[in-house]
Amino acid sequence: MPSLFSSYRLGGLTLPNRTVMAPMSRVRAAAGGLATPSMATYYAQRATAGLIVTEGLQPSLVGQSNPGTPGLHTDEQTDSWRQVTDAVHANGGRIFGQIMHSGRVSHSETTGFQPVGPSAVAAEGNVFTPSGPQPMPVPRALETDEVGEHVQSYAHAARRAVDAGFDGVELHGANGYLISQFLSSDANLRDDRYGGPITNRIRFAVEAAAATVETVGAARTGIRLSPGGGIWGVTEDDAGELNTALLTELARIDLAYVHLVGTADEDVLVRLRETWPGTMIVSPTTPGGPKQAGMSEAGHWLGLGADLIAFGRAFLANPDLVERLRSGLPLAPVDENTFYQGGDAGYITYPTYQHAG
């Protein structure tokens, strides 16, 4: 079994270890969805990760979920991300940008547009807006001839990501956002070639991945999935069959990796590992939500065939997480009150481990 600290070849990159900093929204972009100097510091502090995957970057204004999230669809946004990628590379790191189209998980108060989705079915829960949490609105169902525009938005953002110095991109196909909505058996009630049977519901994901591969290459393209996750009211009644079919199709275009969130039963995830011939990242979770995974969870999933292990909250409070895990040092707790409040506190203020003098 490989060690969490052994090197790994991912596309054209050599990762010095098998840890991945998972994508996590921090809602600290400047006006206009611009990356900031503090964001450059935040990611550079964590550059000892084998791979960093950023927070979600909206590929269009209508694809924005919350206020304060960064984008990758204007020249100004592209320029702003160069300070981030330069800082990570200067610290010896590697960084993929996650491209996240929110679909129905959005609000007109945030974007100025009615959200769009595969069908006119509202998501569950409230969404943040400039005036506070609001109930999820009913999205406008995309016309068949509009779908291609949103497929291409992932590829266009990927081109900008490479121009901004990212080593690659991860398509956000998890957690109830647009790709996940098309995969769903309840958010997607379409009767055209993008809805109904599994072969149709996986089409949007496959087309978005294929368009991105055509634009920036397979070695620079990954995808994140949350089989059966149920987030924002998205249901996959047939999660095992659906995701097996999806991975079978994605294997034909040889993506750099598939990133699975541990939202399904272990036997389903193991079957997906057996289906997928390439690199697999696993983000361990617990039934109650995200887990601050440690060495035992990492070893378990490496033993089940995962190639890389993604850590979320543990990386927030421990910029030196890799060294703490390697040396068996205690992990600092994360302050949940600072997840999304803005500012540098709880963002770039977590220290590295202080050894006794």
Side-chain angles (χ1 to χ4, degrees), residues 202 206 209-210 213 218 244-255 275-278:
I202 67 174
V206 173
V213 166
T244 297
L246 175 58
L247 295 194
T248 299
E249 288 302 309
L250 292 177
R252 302 181 194 279
I253 55 177
D254 195 29
L255 297 183
T275 300
W276 179 249

Side-chain angles (χ1 to χ4, degrees), residues 126-194:
N126 293 328
V127 64
F128 289 102
T129 75
S131 63
Q134 298 281 347
M136 293 283 188
V138 175
R140 180 177 65 80
L142 290 168
E143 300 291 341
T144 302
D145 59 5
E146 291 182 281
V147 173
E149 170 191 340
H150 294 271
V151 164
Q152 289 297 324
S153 72
Y154 292 91
H156 295 159
R159 179 71 267 165
R160 288 185 175 277
V162 172
D163 290 345
F166 283 99
D167 297 299
V169 297
E170 176 181 280
L171 307 190
H172 197 349
N175 298 0
Y177 297 107
L178 186 61
I179 291 175
S180 178
Q181 292 160 30
F182 270 93
L183 295 173
S184 171
S185 47
D186 63 353
N188 182 352
L189 305 179
R190 303 177 71 91
D191 58 8
D192 62 0
R193 65 179 182 272
Y194 293 99

Side-chain angles (χ1 to χ4, degrees), residues 3 26 78 143 173 203 224:
S3 164
R26 302 308 308 275
T78 304
E143 300 291 341
R203 191 184 308 277
R224 192 177 204 224

Side-chain angles (χ1 to χ4, degrees), residues 260-276:
L260 290 184
V261 183
T263 46
D265 291 339
E266 188 172 291
D267 62 329
V268 172
L269 299 177
V270 170
R271 184 167 13 128
L272 296 177
R273 163 69 282 187
E274 293 169 349
T275 300
W276 179 249

Side-chain angles (χ1 to χ4, degrees), residues 311-335:
F311 297 84
R313 297 180 180 202
F315 256 120
L316 297 189
N318 301 273
D320 56 343
L321 178 64
V322 175
E323 183 56 33
R324 292 191 191 223
L325 294 175
R326 191 194 310 271
S327 302
L329 300 173
L331 300 187
V334 65
D335 180 4

